[in-house]
Amino acid sequence: MNKEDIIIALKEAVIPDEEYYIDNEIIDAMLEYPDPFQFVKPILDIISQNPSVDFGSPGELVHFVEKFYKKGYEEALIESVKKNPTFHNIWMIHRCYNDANCAFHNDFLSLINEIKENPSTSADIIKAIEMFNW
């Protein structure tokens, strides 16, 4: 599978208000791809653009992107959350924030505070933020 085929398969697996499921064949293709980091941003976009989808706890996509923790994932996650915070990506930020030794620890907190203080942030996102200890 080429990159475009994989991204199409990831997007086609999205079913609103349903649990996200992706075939192991797609996950394997991503892992075998010469530069699998290229899938991090598209995956984060899928998560941020589909707030009604149950991506799991954490789910296959989060497990995949977290393979790039401290290898560029944090910056991509921050960028994604800035564009469109959702319950799932706020939770993903909190997972990273829990590592006090992460170079982006303070950046995560600043981002969360910006979102929380933004008057256009929905009550649902504020509630999601307040579910976690920051």
Side-chain angles (χ1 to χ4, degrees):
M1 296 184 94
N2 64 34
K3 180 181 174 183
E4 292 75 26
D5 292 337
I6 294 169
I7 293 171
I8 288 168
L10 291 170
K11 289 178 180 180
E12 287 179 347
V14 170
I15 302 171
D17 302 314
E18 298 273 332
E19 186 174 340
Y20 187 85
Y21 173 77
I22 191 75
D23 289 329
N24 286 336
E25 167 188 324
I26 305 302
I27 298 294
D28 292 343
M30 289 190 305
L31 292 170
E32 293 167 5
Y33 193 77
D35 182 11
F37 184 79
Q38 289 187 24
F39 298 108
V40 171
K41 285 185 181 183
I43 288 170
L44 292 173
D45 287 345
I46 290 167
I47 290 171
S48 72
Q49 293 167 3
N50 296 284
S52 71
V53 173
D54 177 0
F55 288 100
S57 296
E60 291 287 337
L61 296 183
V62 174
H63 280 297
F64 179 84
V65 295
E66 285 183 345
K67 291 180 185 309
F68 302 96
Y69 184 62
K70 297 186 179 179
K71 299 175 188 168
Y73 163 62
E74 300 86 345
E75 296 100 321
L77 179 58
I78 288 169
E79 181 182 317
S80 176
V81 173
K82 279 182 180 179
K83 285 185 208 172
N84 190 35
T86 66
F87 176 82
H88 205 78
N89 64 19
I90 294 292
W91 176 66
M92 292 165 70
I93 286 277
H94 190 261
R95 286 170 62 88
C96 295
Y97 176 79
N98 283 332
D99 179 359
N101 295 318
C102 178
F104 293 91
H105 185 79
N106 291 332
D107 297 318
F108 297 138
L109 185 57
S110 294
L111 172 61
I112 291 303
N113 286 331
E114 284 174 31
I115 293 168
K116 194 173 176 180
E117 293 170 10
N118 186 331
S120 66
T121 300
S122 74
D124 288 339
I125 296 302
I126 300 292
K127 185 177 176 180
I129 288 169
E130 291 175 344
M131 287 178 61
F132 302 107
N133 292 324
W134 300 96

